[in-house]
Amino acid sequence: MTQRRGAPLGAPGVGGERVEGRRAVTELLTAGRRRVRTVWVAPGRSADLAELADDATRRGVPVRHVTRDELDELSTTEAPQGVVADADPIEPVAVDALLAAPDAFLVALDGVTDPQNLGAIVRTAEAAGATGIVLPRHRAARITPAVTKAAAGAIEYLPIATAAGIPAVIIQAGRADVWTIGLDADGDVTVDELAVADRPLMLVFGAEGRGLSRLARERCDVVARIPMRGHVASLNVGAAAAIACATVARLRTASL
């Protein structure tokens, strides 16, 4: 079945933006950063759904109990896990605001197009303590219900900025004294050798298949690689981001 897509970042859907999946809706309610208009819940035996509905009610959010067929009509993903919420869209922040943070630990995605990869990277970045993520406005995946579900709630906490292009953001980062580290299999150093890991920085990841664009690679201060000690010669961007973010987080903690 082809996965349906909802409204992108900053663009309201019908009445708002759909958030689907138990973890994503739970964190939407817990974070309280955007208004939730309605939560729809389908019948099920899971105690999680009952607790989620009770939590929404306590927070003054209308809860509507619907059939599974009705929930499927409301959802834009294939497996809403018994719950769909309608919320205000996520509002992007300014790139300059992310770069100005004294402890900036940013992730920029240079053309990632797969919603599952984008959601997984948002989840990984937030777990690693990243302070923001930067996405291009064109020729890349945008924040949709599928991405929000894959991020499992992390999207409610990680500030997101959009820009015309990542190469231009790399120049902005340099002017803001933020180091830029591009990830590439032919990098000059490994990520665990980064001497600038404890400074304000931005990790830059390329698109699925082609990797970093030529311009982004040329403009990064450092091009780093992930050491491959097994038999597999490469990683997809989601796995690469998980390793790189975790490594930088470890290096930053060790420097404290």
Side-chain angles (χ1 to χ4, degrees):
M1 182 182 295
T2 301
Q3 193 172 54
R4 293 167 286 177
R5 295 175 62 124
L9 176 67
V14 179
E17 179 179 273
R18 293 288 191 261
V19 178
E20 307 178 20
R22 295 175 194 175
R23 177 55 57 189
V25 175
T26 295
E27 296 300 342
L28 169 71
L29 294 168
T30 300
R33 295 189 175 186
R34 47 185 175 143
R35 182 165 61 103
V36 184
R37 296 181 176 87
T38 309
V39 171
W40 292 278
V41 179
R45 298 179 180 178
S46 171
D48 291 346
L49 283 177
E51 291 176 5
L52 192 155
D54 289 344
D55 185 32
T57 299
R58 284 193 300 270
R59 297 175 187 274
V61 178
V63 176
R64 298 182 183 177
H65 295 274
V66 296
T67 67
R68 290 194 175 276
D69 286 343
E70 289 171 331
L71 193 76
D72 286 341
E73 288 297 316
L74 289 165
S75 70
T76 61
T77 63
E78 292 184 17
Q81 300 176 322
V83 61
V84 173
D86 183 46
D88 283 353
I90 293 172
E91 293 295 333
V93 302
V95 173
D96 285 342
L98 294 183
L99 293 172
D103 60 343
F105 172 12
L106 308 177
V107 172
L109 303 182
D110 185 25
V112 170
T113 58
D114 185 274
Q116 297 301 314
N117 278 337
L118 176 53
I121 293 168
V122 170
R123 188 176 186 179
T124 291
E126 199 281 330
T131 58
I133 191 163
V134 184
L135 306 175
R137 295 193 188 101
H138 308 290
R139 295 185 294 278
R142 303 176 76 182
I143 301 300
T144 63
V147 173
T148 301
K149 183 171 179 286
I155 209 160
E156 305 301 332
Y157 303 100
L158 187 65
I160 297 174
T162 60
I166 298 305
V169 173
I170 294 171
I171 292 177
Q172 277 184 269
R175 292 171 179 163
D177 293 325
V178 173
W179 286 78
T180 51
I181 297 96
L183 272 293
D184 187 271
D186 296 322
D188 302 318
V189 298
T190 63
V191 289
D192 47 3
E193 296 171 334
L194 286 175
V196 297
D198 60 338
R199 304 178 194 178
L201 62 82
M202 180 170 69
L203 297 177
V204 184
F205 298 92
E208 299 93 344
R210 68 174 175 84
L212 283 176
S213 66
R214 177 189 58 80
L215 201 54
R217 194 184 197 282
E218 289 175 353
R219 291 182 177 179
C220 283
D221 296 310
V222 180
V223 179
R225 67 184 185 277
I226 293 171
M228 304 294 289
R229 299 184 175 92
H231 296 288
V232 177
S234 64
L235 297 167
N236 76 5
V237 66
I243 293 173
C245 286
T247 301
V248 169
R250 175 178 56 79
L251 293 173
R252 290 168 81 86
T253 299
S255 69
L256 296 178

